[in-house]
Amino acid sequence: MRRRSPPPPSPLPQRNGVDPVRVRLPSGDAWTTVRDHLVARLAAGARVIDEMLDAGRIVDATGRPVSRDMAYVPGMFVWFHRELADEERVPFAVDVVYRDEHVVVADKPHFLATTPRGSHVAETALARLRRELGVPTLSAAHRLDRLTAGLVLFTVRPEERGAYQSLFRDKRVAKEYEAVAPYDLALDLPVTLRSRIVKERGVVAAREIVGTPNAVSRVELLEHRNGRARYRLTPRTGQTHQLRVHMSALGVPILGDPLYPVVTGPVAAGDFRRPLQLLARVLEFTDPITGCEHRFVSPRVLRAWSSYDEWDG
């Protein structure tokens, strides 16, 4: 199979820690101009696209502004910065727990997305770290859900990112999570759950279906009091919302979960109360570049365990 050549480097710099949007013009389309394709492809609409073109804000690989009448060339790349809506600032810090010339390990707070996606762009752990550390090449080797706190591995050098991503793909990273959820005396723990989880595009919650398992999680009880318990969760696979789905399936959904077992209404912007009580506590791996053995442990404390009334208020 012939590999597609990598795209050329962006002619536009990052803005506020956010990369410009890159669009590749596909083969097989019969557009007359680049402008016609962008109007059809992007949700911004013809008026906005024309304003961007007239202002020189859409450029080709050389940095030359794309004109309204520039001919469509299959395989061509264009770049532009999208206009970002005002984002609610997440009022919690991203703590750096380790940094060397190859990686940054950060402790992400609840409510902060790992990387730009949807309405969360500049207010993400990646964009913040790029700005705060002055490392524009920083990239995420994996992701945590926006509502989940804990350890995330970022890479410094673009040419090394694949080596670190392969650690997660090949299951060579040991991960442990901690959760606070209801205590059920009848649960026989520890237990390993195996099921098939699917997450459909456009549907906010994942679900379990009949079929060959693609999600494996081990659940252990650490301690309990006042009807609540701390659990150690060890995922063997990485399906979307896997731990949240499995805890709900056990009948002890994680406290603060707006999706499982029932999808509730969206939380208002700026409401940072009652965070999901799920924490990526431990990240352990052998560095594929240096050979160093790493084990990182988040010092965060889940508030529904340390101070339930404060969390519930």
Side-chain angles (χ1 to χ4, degrees), residues 248-298:
S248 181
L250 284 176
V252 287
I254 299 170
L255 295 185
D257 197 326
L259 298 182
Y260 308 99
V262 177
V263 176
T264 60
V267 176
D271 185 352
F272 301 112
R273 299 170 299 171
R274 296 173 59 89
L276 175 71
Q277 294 299 278
L278 181 61
L279 171 68
R281 172 72 76 191
V282 177
L283 199 61
E284 187 174 3
F285 60 93
T286 300
D287 191 300
I289 305 299
T290 67
C292 292
E293 300 286 340
H294 289 303
R295 177 180 171 84
F296 304 104
V297 180
S298 168

Side-chain angles (χ1 to χ4, degrees), residues 159-213:
E159 66 272 19
E160 295 175 351
R161 185 186 183 201
Y164 290 98
Q165 287 180 314
S166 69
L167 293 176
F168 295 88
R169 182 194 65 210
D170 299 338
K171 300 180 176 58
R172 290 183 284 136
V173 178
K175 296 182 287 184
E176 292 181 13
Y177 289 69
E178 183 178 311
V180 178
Y183 173 65
D184 185 348
L185 179 63
L187 277 181
D188 185 15
L189 299 178
V191 65
T192 297
L193 292 88
R194 295 177 173 85
S195 68
R196 185 164 192 83
I197 295 176
V198 296
K199 174 68 167 63
E200 299 169 358
R201 188 178 183 87
V203 179
V204 295
R207 60 191 177 93
E208 292 180 298
I209 63 172
V210 176
T212 303

Side-chain angles (χ1 to χ4, degrees), residues 3-279:
R3 292 187 177 182
R4 179 184 295 178
S5 58
S10 171
L12 296 177
Q14 290 176 358
R15 181 185 294 172
N16 203 22
V18 179
D19 292 321
V21 176
R22 183 185 71 227
V23 176
R24 182 179 186 273
L25 309 186
S27 302
D29 286 350
W31 303 104
T32 302
T33 65
V34 175
R35 181 259 182 200
D36 293 340
H37 175 75
L38 295 179
V39 168
R41 179 170 177 175
L42 303 179
R47 182 182 63 81
V48 173
I49 296 298
D50 285 341
E51 290 176 352
M52 294 175 68
L53 290 168
D54 293 343
R57 288 159 44 203
I58 302 177
V59 303
D60 64 12
T62 68
R64 181 182 62 170
V66 174
S67 63
R68 288 201 194 194
D69 60 356
M70 180 177 283
Y72 183 95
V73 178
M76 174 183 174
F77 290 93
V78 298
W79 286 262
F80 59 89
H81 282 289
R82 53 184 152 178
E83 291 301 316
L84 302 180
D86 291 336
E87 297 179 51
E88 189 75 34
R89 177 166 175 78
V90 177
F92 312 113
V94 182
D95 298 322
V96 174
V97 300
Y98 177 81
R99 180 182 180 184
D100 64 22
E101 60 184 311
H102 305 284
V103 299
V104 171
V105 179
D107 198 346
K108 183 186 82 67
H110 298 285
F111 300 109
L112 189 69
T114 302
T115 56
R117 185 176 183 181
S119 61
H120 305 283
V121 182
E123 264 303 282
T124 58
L126 176 61
R128 274 203 200 174
L129 288 170
R130 282 174 170 175
R131 298 192 300 265
E132 294 171 4
L133 301 180
V135 183
T137 57
L138 204 67
S139 294
H142 66 122
R143 291 181 177 87
L144 289 182
D145 290 344
R146 185 177 67 87
L147 299 184
T148 303
L151 300 176
V152 184
L153 176 65
F154 295 88
T155 64
V156 174
R157 298 172 175 173
E159 66 272 19
E160 295 175 351
R161 185 186 183 201
Y164 290 98
Q165 287 180 314
S166 69
L167 293 176
F168 295 88
R169 182 194 65 210
D170 299 338
K171 300 180 176 58
R172 290 183 284 136
V173 178
K175 296 182 287 184
E176 292 181 13
Y177 289 69
E178 183 178 311
V180 178
Y183 173 65
D184 185 348
L185 179 63
L187 277 181
D188 185 15
L189 299 178
V191 65
T192 297
L193 292 88
R194 295 177 173 85
S195 68
R196 185 164 192 83
I197 295 176
V198 296
K199 174 68 167 63
E200 299 169 358
R201 188 178 183 87
V203 179
V204 295
R207 60 191 177 93
E208 292 180 298
I209 63 172
V210 176
T212 303
N214 63 356
V216 181
S217 308
R218 180 175 173 83
V219 179
E220 302 171 72
L221 177 67
L222 294 175
E223 56 183 325
H224 68 89
R225 66 175 183 236
N226 302 324
R228 296 179 296 279
R230 287 177 60 235
Y231 298 90
R232 179 188 292 121
L233 312 179
T234 308
R236 308 282 173 79
T237 53
Q239 297 300 317
T240 300
H241 297 176
Q242 174 179 316
L243 296 175
R244 297 163 67 180
V245 170
H246 279 166
M247 289 295 285
S248 181
L250 284 176
V252 287
I254 299 170
L255 295 185
D257 197 326
L259 298 182
Y260 308 99
V262 177
V263 176
T264 60
V267 176
D271 185 352
F272 301 112
R273 299 170 299 171
R274 296 173 59 89
L276 175 71
Q277 294 299 278
L278 181 61
L279 171 68

